[in-house]
Amino acid sequence: MLSLEGITDSIHNWLNHALNPTLAMLSEFVMVGLCVITLFAMLGLVLIMMERKVSAYMQVRIGPNRVGPGGMFQTLADTLKLVVKEGLTPDGADHFLFNLAPFVVLSASMLALAPVAFAKGFQVWDLPIGILYVSAISSVSVIGILMAGWASNNKYSLLGAMRSGAQIVSYELSAGLSVLTIVILTGSLRISDIIQAQQDGWWIFKGHIPAIIAFVIFLIAVTAETNRAPFDMAEAESELTAGFHTEYSGMKFALFFLAEYVNIFIVCAIGAALFFGGWMPFHIGHWESFNHIMDFIPSSIWFTGKTFALIFVIMWFRWTFPRLRIDQLLNLEWKYLLPISMANLLLTTFVAIKGWYF
Amino acid sequence: MADEEMNAKGEGLKVKIGEWLPLAQWEEGPEWTTLLVEPASWPEAAKLLRFTPGLDFDFLFCLTCIDWKTHFTMVYHFRSTLHGHELVVKSKLDHNQPAIETVSRIWRTAEFHEREAYDLFGVNFLHHPDLRRLFLTDEWVGYPLRKDYEDPVNMIKL
Amino acid sequence: MKNVEEIGTTEQGELIINVGPQHPSTHGVLHLVITLDGETIRNVEPHLGYIHRSIEKMCESLSYRQFIYVTSRMDYLSSHINNHGCAMCVEKGLQIEVPPRAKVIRVLMDELTRLASHQLWWGALAMDVGALTPFFHAFREREMINSIMEETCGARLTMNYMVPGGVMIDLHPNFQPGVKEFITHFKSKIDEYDELVTDNVIFQNRMKGVGTLSKEDAISYGCTGPTARGSGVRCDVRKLFPYEVYAGLRFDEIIETGGDCFARYMVRMKEMRQSLSIIEQLIDNIPEGDFQAKTKAVLKLPKGEFYTKIETARGEFGVYIISEGGMTPYRIKFRSPGFSNLSALNHMARGYKIGDLVAIMGSLDLVIPDIDR
């Protein structure tokens, strides 16, 4: 059976065999970098296409259907258009920060991709504090958003950026707390450990009540953190035209757009790793034969399936719900989600100490 | 509503308003009960119409101006949401310097309607809180709905 | 080069923002200058006239048959009802008796227009508060009405179907089956509307207690239509001053007393059901006979003043014709519902957030050409 782990291992061995360790490592860096950039582009294309098709089906229409089979190349055509478009910088803008902002946002999401385990043993960097690293890096993107909003010299952008700042800072808390419940259950921050701990069942089943509460909170919080509807206060096109990226055009706009979709992918991948076992196939306790059948499905398929199912849920939110108002949004976080997450954290600790999980 | 009923209501109104405004003049003919007022006595008459129990004309639903070439006529259409009766008030304004007291403090909808009349007819509403052009640009010359208004560029004569 | 501090702030450091004339939620070329303290609105000042065509002046040089068509371009979402009001005013001046068939057709068309307008409003309001999907669902149903209109009137938006003395042409044979099909279809869909939007917690939170307009203020600002009825004012022209066949129909005037956006929302949602019931009562009872009264080729209104009012989807639409006895009106004044409703916007929006302003504007159902004329 074709395994991604086998491929990476053989490349690694072959490089170390052919070159000295430093050169081998450097060439691995280059390869990983190329892979990540390709993944970025592919994710952008696929997710935007998916969003458009999902929204089309919810809105009783067909969606893009002209470019390529079933409209599959529509995003490619759009990207091409954005690349050749002039990237305007407004007259009154702070040129340096204005042009830097999309790269900050993009780099943040690119960095956050590092500890994501795409398949068994297929991971860029399995660092021991993987989960902490992701939540730390994902808050860097707010700096880019604030930068974009401030440097645009546009009041809509400024309002959007301020909203975004308030929102991401608040929702980071519940996202972090809901992640912590799984960390408590697992006892490790390392992503591979967390996934390994779910070998005899995913945490959403093993962790029962506290895990389910944590999952719901996690889903709400990451939707808010990625600035997706119903929490798209930073963009809120009916209020702030386009929020923080009002003044951006061409490729710079496309970078924001891309970063948004990659962020969705990352949070869903993390969510899948925490609650649904990442690449771990669907195992039930010690039903050895059943587990063995499940193992026949490649781990990369398991990972993609779970992640895209979560992405679909987040898209579903967007095309169903109206947007919250900024004060309601903050009320929801500080008055409801945060206390619930804290109580849930206590509950989880109790459950973990008593060993009342499966 | 039957015509007789309307007439009866109109006569009743005339009597009632007559009690408060003994010098009230009425225009004959049109379908509505029409009260004629002098611009000078309009502020008091307006207050009377609005606040007198039994009259209670609280709803100003139409305010407009007519250019009769020799003079302007301000037309106010009132209804009472309490009693359901309706009244038209007309006031004759001078053609050279049309001016009348604002009623925007009594009926707040008048603020916009008066700005419109100012914009299109050039009627000066005294003591209006914010008398500026509403539709046209601030630097527009002339008042388009006047009969003597000519605009060779923007106006199409049929 | 100017910095953010230098432009667009008041002395108190409040931010001044131009909303429009090109803005996603002004639905047209409305220009609002809003003063903000953080996210809180301190003042809203509408700047009008971006689509002002001086229709009143144009009408002064159009004949009594012609001017009706211009009024379709005012409130383009209730163009039938605008046309109807104008036709009624001319009929009043000429004392034309409209045949019963034409009366019923007119009412049917009016109610279909009202439904189409409310559907569009529902979709647009949902879009304003951030839900995009309802817009498409509303358009699916509105499309059916447009097709029905297209068959009979030959146009989908500015129908120009009402003429003095009746309607322009007789109903298309497909009209009755088409409307019946629409009614059965829409009855199930309107429940879906409620499930999707009305019962949504986020939506209710956005609408309840927002943009409150008291009954006294609604009257003072001259609000009419669903805007005023949401504040508890009885102002439905169809009930207060029945025209055509409305006196003989069974329908309720919807009154809500909340005065907030949700009350205005509920008025329109319930009105849609009332309109459906009116259409149901009439669709099988269209009398036979002429669809148009015999009129002279050239209409000349006698010297005098004529005023008619009619209930459009947005409120009371008044036509005031001053005639000098000629072929064209001496002066025409259109009392448009949107204009008065808009004047209350500043009063309603002050103290709320930017997101609320959008919801309030949506709940007022503004059509900008109707305001600017």
Side-chain angles (χ1 to χ4, degrees), chain B residues 50-68:
Chain B
R50 172 65 184 88
F51 296 111
T52 310
L55 296 178
D56 294 305
F57 288 102
D58 48 4
F59 186 43
L60 170 65
F61 61 94
C62 189
L63 184 160
T64 190
C65 181
I66 306 160
D67 180 9
W68 290 105

Side-chain angles (χ1 to χ4, degrees), chain C residues 41-61:
Chain C
I41 292 165
R42 289 280 170 251
N43 192 35
V44 181
E45 193 189 316
H47 285 210
L48 307 176
Y50 287 89
I51 192 161
H52 176 66
R53 293 146 295 179
S54 210
I55 285 180
E56 288 170 11
K57 184 82 175 178
M58 280 157 77
C59 289
E60 286 175 14
S61 55

